[in-house]
Amino acid sequence: MEGRININVSAVDYDKTSKALTHQLSLLEEMVHGEEDFTMTDSEFAFGWHFFVLSVNKSLVQKLAEMMGSDFDKLKGRGIEKKFLTWLTKNIESKSPRFKIAIKEEMESSKFGIF
């Protein structure tokens, strides 16, 4: 399972959201003994929102799935990437004001052509 999962993040408060994401993913790295398994771009501000990309190694997500076992399978979403988004959202939603996350590749191929 190689490669990265690129996640588009939209947030009202870049500082709080990026810190919450960094904190949660750093804890995950500690749990599964990973290092430097994620990166985040600088934000671009438009329409009152900050937009940035979070890139996570798929190996980190796979380790999380293995560690959680059947609990990971029970998460909402089809496929490991969607389940990871659900897990990530649940773990940071109380620490960050309004934010949205989505798989970057899916947004770029949106049938609506918005992104």
Side-chain angles (χ1 to χ4, degrees):
M1 187 152 197
E2 289 184 27
R4 299 182 80 76
I5 300 171
N6 295 310
I7 302 167
N8 276 346
V9 183
S10 311
V12 172
D13 186 331
Y14 172 74
D15 289 335
K16 281 188 179 175
T17 303
S18 63
K19 283 178 184 167
L21 286 166
T22 299
H23 178 73
Q24 188 61 48
L25 291 170
S26 295
L27 289 175
L28 176 58
E29 281 183 333
E30 281 182 39
M31 276 189 336
V32 300
H33 308 291
E35 277 186 30
E36 298 179 15
D37 282 322
F38 67 94
T39 58
M40 213 174 300
T41 64
D42 292 332
S43 81
E44 293 182 26
F45 187 75
F47 309 111
W49 287 77
H50 294 272
F51 300 93
F52 57 100
V53 177
L54 171 66
S55 184
V56 181
N57 282 343
K58 284 187 178 180
S59 60
L60 182 69
V61 178
Q62 184 63 41
K63 289 176 187 174
L64 171 67
E66 290 169 7
M67 184 179 243
M68 288 180 66
S70 63
D71 288 338
F72 189 83
D73 295 333
K74 293 175 188 171
L75 290 172
K76 184 180 173 188
R78 186 176 290 177
I80 192 169
E81 292 156 344
K82 294 280 194 177
K83 290 181 185 295
F84 176 68
L85 288 187
T86 300
W87 177 86
L88 190 57
T89 300
K90 283 182 180 178
N91 282 285
I92 68 164
E93 64 189 352
S94 64
K95 300 170 186 106
S96 173
R98 294 176 40 211
F99 72 95
K100 301 215 181 294
I101 58 177
I103 303 293
K104 183 174 178 19
E105 288 78 11
E106 289 178 4
M107 289 182 72
E108 289 172 349
S109 65
S110 170
K111 65 180 178 179
F112 303 109
I114 297 171
F115 301 100

